[in-house]
Amino acid sequence: MNASTATARASLPTLVVLALGTVYLIWGSTYFGIKIAIQSLPPLGMLGLRFLLGGGLLYIFLRLRGVPNPGRVQWGWSAVVGLLLLGGGTGLVTLAEKQASSSVAAMLIAISPLFASLFSNLWGERTSGREWLGIGVGLLGIVLLNLGELRATPLAALLLVLAPLCWTFGSALARRVTLPDGLMGAAAEMLTGGALLMLLSPLVHEQWRTPTAASLWALAYLVVFGSILAYSAYMYLVAHTRPALATSYAYVNPLVAVLLGIGLGANTSVASDGWRWA
């Protein structure tokens, strides 16, 4: 093992901690940002615009730095992963929340680590007893925190089950297919997933109107922090950590969102009403 390889391996735990902190804190704060953004922007259209801008800015930055353009196969798999994560995961939750309480959404999103471990086991990556215990404790905690308001139509409940299935299957698939290296992979997935969400927006008859300044500032925050920083950090975790750890944000983000809402002097229901992935 040469010196550079040893240095890279030694720095890996620090990078994992930084990536976890980024996903925990930033994705927790994006719930509030999404709530503000969709006050004057259509939900799916806002998400599509957010990921297109985030992916586009990151792609341009990387190309200017000399990072090679993804090949045809890499673009193809990026589209599949982007479709599953951003279209299926984020998009379905957004649609479901029109007919479901945030409590139901929070509980079903918290199933993500369980689904991630199940998919990994199907591909031969075993989950330890400690990981199963952690998944069970985390899921129980989310259920106990959200027993007060459990409302959803059958369609919304179905979408909220399909959403974490899409998200975790896409995360597991990303570990096993040919994607662009490093941040270029995140850029390609955001570009393709964002394009899909923009196509879905008119299909569900979303209406666009002049956005407020608050919505535009919230969108800018979501693009820079929620997409470029946090989504890139999550894809790093998918590639370098166990599935249960990579998806542990599902237990932490709701608490961060509520604390942030209280800290900003906002109504707790406002802070927690936007249960979504990045």
Side-chain angles (χ1 to χ4, degrees):
M1 178 168 45
N2 57 40
S4 61
T5 302
T7 302
R9 290 189 177 182
S11 64
L12 183 59
T14 300
L15 293 177
V16 169
V17 170
L18 289 175
L20 283 171
T22 299
V23 172
Y24 286 173
L25 295 176
I26 293 181
W27 276 1
S29 69
T30 56
Y31 300 157
F32 189 78
I34 289 172
K35 184 69 177 180
I36 301 301
I38 63 174
Q39 287 180 353
S40 63
L41 291 169
L44 291 183
M46 185 279 294
L47 290 173
L49 186 59
R50 168 189 167 184
F51 288 119
L52 278 176
L53 289 173
L57 290 172
L58 185 57
Y59 175 83
I60 292 172
F61 171 78
L62 293 172
R63 291 291 288 144
L64 291 175
R65 293 289 300 273
V67 177
N69 190 50
R72 183 185 306 175
V73 173
Q74 292 175 321
W75 274 114
W77 281 117
S78 295
V80 173
V81 173
L83 183 153
L84 289 168
L85 293 179
L86 306 180
T90 309
L92 290 179
V93 173
T94 304
L95 291 175
E97 284 201 271
K98 294 181 179 180
Q99 304 175 49
S101 69
S102 59
S103 296
V104 174
M107 286 200 305
L108 291 178
I109 290 172
I111 299 175
S112 297
L114 174 61
F115 284 162
S117 295
L118 291 175
F119 283 131
S120 295
N121 276 265
L122 288 177
W123 267 302
E125 186 176 343
R126 312 311 300 175
T127 302
S128 69
R130 182 180 299 178
E131 287 175 321
W132 285 123
L133 178 61
I135 290 169
V137 171
L139 184 57
L140 178 61
I142 292 295
V143 170
L144 293 176
L145 285 172
N146 291 279
L147 285 177
E149 185 186 358
L150 301 177
R151 299 192 313 272
T153 65
L155 176 59
L158 175 62
L159 293 178
L160 286 171
V161 171
L162 291 175
L165 277 172
C166 289
W167 181 269
T168 52
F169 181 74
S171 298
L173 185 66
R175 296 161 63 93
R176 295 164 174 84
V177 297
T178 304
L179 294 172
D181 293 330
L183 292 176
M184 183 57 81
E189 290 155 23
M190 283 191 283
L191 282 171
T192 52
L196 172 67
L197 287 165
M198 290 298 289
L199 291 175
L200 286 176
S201 180
L203 292 179
V204 298
H205 307 292
E206 287 189 337
Q207 300 296 317
W208 290 80
R209 57 191 177 91
T210 303
T212 63
S215 290
L216 291 177
W217 278 112
L219 176 62
Y221 175 82
L222 293 171
V223 168
V224 176
F225 291 93
S227 297
I228 295 177
L229 291 180
Y231 185 75
S232 298
Y234 175 71
M235 295 312 298
Y236 175 84
L237 291 171
V238 167
H240 295 90
T241 67
R242 303 277 293 174
L245 181 60
T247 54
S248 60
Y249 67 87
Y251 303 142
V252 181
N253 288 170
L255 300 178
V256 173
V258 172
L259 291 174
L260 179 64
I262 295 173
L264 292 175
N267 187 295
T268 302
S269 64
V270 173
S272 63
D273 226 19
W275 300 106
R276 288 181 187 83
W277 288 295

